[in-house]
Amino acid sequence: MREIPYNRAAVVAYARNWAMSRNPAYYNFEKIGGDCTNFASQSIYAGARVMNYTPTFGWYYRSSSDRSPSWSGVGYLYNFLIHNSSVGPYAREVSAAEAQPGDIVQLGTADGHFYHSPVITSVSPEILVAAHTFDALDRPLSTYVYDRARFLRIDGVRTW
């Protein structure tokens, strides 16, 4: 396996391009639980260009019926990115001050249920995000109502 850079500019460009519409190459999950993590995964893929096709525990999308749970599930995406030691993007949880454009922030309740995965598009002077389900383009994170936030800093990508 070898490391390749995560292209943050490509992530942000993708997120800004598709924040207010839908890429027809991907199913829109909005009416069946939400499209935010599907959109986050699409954006991450724009910067990683590598999927992990491991059944169940990988991170991939072939179709709406052939995808990993991590592609469209908030908690599953977190688990994949944080614990991935194989092919694909990998991340670590960081503070808001360490977050960068192209990273993911996940919003949750006080009891630790995380329910939303916006893509960070800018961090200065404040954190701005792009998201689906409640479509947003460069929306200030400070305008969301949430109890907890976890910032997933994508450090790189592994490939064969």
Side-chain angles (χ1 to χ4, degrees), residues 71-84:
W71 188 269
S72 56
V74 176
Y76 296 109
L77 177 62
Y78 173 86
N79 286 332
F80 174 79
L81 290 172
I82 295 298
H83 300 292
N84 181 29

Side-chain angles (χ1 to χ4, degrees), residues 18-103:
W18 292 103
M20 306 308 284
S21 61
R22 301 296 182 268
N23 182 337
Y26 299 94
Y27 185 78
N28 178 3
F29 294 92
E30 193 161 325
K31 293 188 170 126
I32 56 170
D35 199 54
C36 68
T37 305
N38 175 40
F39 175 68
S41 285
Q42 291 172 40
S43 299
I44 293 167
Y45 180 66
R49 305 310 301 170
V50 176
M51 292 185 188
N52 180 318
Y53 292 99
T54 304
T56 308
F57 299 108
W59 176 76
Y60 64 91
Y61 180 97
R62 291 185 184 111
S63 71
S64 62
S65 60
D66 185 6
R67 69 185 192 284
S68 63
S70 61
W71 188 269
S72 56
V74 176
Y76 296 109
L77 177 62
Y78 173 86
N79 286 332
F80 174 79
L81 290 172
I82 295 298
H83 300 292
N84 181 29
S85 59
S86 186
V87 173
Y90 59 92
R92 62 191 159 97
E93 201 168 333
V94 298
S95 69
E98 297 172 279
Q100 295 182 1
D103 288 338

Side-chain angles (χ1 to χ4, degrees), residues 82-125:
I82 295 298
H83 300 292
N84 181 29
S85 59
S86 186
V87 173
Y90 59 92
R92 62 191 159 97
E93 201 168 333
V94 298
S95 69
E98 297 172 279
Q100 295 182 1
D103 288 338
I104 304 300
V105 56
Q106 292 189 324
L107 307 180
T109 61
D111 64 358
H113 170 72
F114 287 86
Y115 55 82
H116 195 41
S117 299
V119 178
I120 297 173
T121 56
S122 180
V123 295
S124 181

